[in-house]
Amino acid sequence: EAQVTQNPRYLITVTGKKLTVTCSQNMNHEYMSWYRQDPGLGLRQIYYSMNVEVTDKGDVPEGYKVSRKEKRNFPLILESPSPNQTSLYFCASSLQGLAGVADTQYFGPGTRLTVL
Amino acid sequence: ILNVEQSPQSLHVQEGDSTNFTCSFPSSNFYALHWYRWETAKSPEALFVMTLNGDEKKKGRISATLNTKEGYSYLYIKGSQPEDSATYLCASGTWTNAGKSTFGDGTTLTVKP
């Protein structure tokens, strides 16, 4: 089944404890992206990648890192999480990296993160 | 317009009513406009992606139009059903940064039986 998977789906952690949220897609998509969603707001883009080893900042990259060492995986790293990073996180992918956001994006199931 | 704006923020209609929402986006360097449907406890699901001025897309009872010169898109739902209840998000991108996607805050539709 073609899908985007994220792990974990739920995570409660404490301030300063490094964590990684994994994202994997099995559709051979070139473009991948991370978003966060907060109450009353739409999705805000954190980072995106148009191909392997190519990553760039979205609108809210502070406090996050990403890497794209292989096409299928795009992990989101929080080196020192803080309470203001408590949010719902979505990973998404689309087929053509060069097309950027002109391609349909497929979203993962979401990861709900709470930082105490 | 510098950001992507959606109106109204929420909408309550009766089953069978037709309705429409607006997405306003920066027209300068326009690249693409997406509409997504997002049900509670699920992931956003793509409805349409539009790139050309005057584009009209349709999927069942839902359709969308695009005006890139004035920077707006309309989403129409004909004969709303309770299962149409969801938040509808739009997102736009520009040629100057083709990988960057800016979302509006969404329109939450509630359809009462």
Side-chain angles (χ1 to χ4, degrees), chain B residues 27-45:
Chain B
S27 57
S28 176
N29 299 308
F30 172 82
Y31 184 44
L33 189 285
H34 293 252
W35 281 101
Y36 294 91
R37 181 171 180 272
W38 188 16
E39 291 181 74
T40 303
K42 294 187 177 181
S43 308
E45 179 184 343

Side-chain angles (χ1 to χ4, degrees), chain B:
Chain B
I1 297 220
L2 298 179
N3 294 317
V4 178
E5 298 173 357
Q6 292 188 245
S7 62
Q9 186 175 14
S10 64
L11 198 53
H12 296 256
V13 301
Q14 289 294 135
E15 182 175 355
D17 288 349
S18 293
T19 187
N20 64 85
F21 332 129
T22 303
C23 173
S24 300
F25 54 87
S27 57
S28 176
N29 299 308
F30 172 82
Y31 184 44
L33 189 285
H34 293 252
W35 281 101
Y36 294 91
R37 181 171 180 272
W38 188 16
E39 291 181 74
T40 303
K42 294 187 177 181
S43 308
E45 179 184 343
L47 288 172
F48 307 112
V49 55
M50 296 184 287
T51 57
L52 298 176
N53 185 46
D55 252 353
E56 291 188 28
K57 295 279 179 98
K58 187 174 181 181
K59 183 185 285 189
R61 295 178 291 99
I62 305 177
S63 61
T65 62
L66 178 67
N67 183 321
T68 63
K69 294 182 179 179
E70 296 181 44
Y72 65 83
S73 175
Y74 294 136
L75 187 77
Y76 300 92
I77 302 178
K78 184 178 179 181
S80 302
Q81 299 297 308
E83 57 265 31
D84 294 328
S85 297
T87 295
Y88 292 83
L89 298 168
C90 69
S92 79
T94 63
W95 277 105
T96 53
N97 196 339
K100 198 170 177 186
S101 184
T102 301
F103 278 76
D105 291 340
T107 293
T108 299
L109 173 67
T110 304
V111 182
K112 300 175 185 176

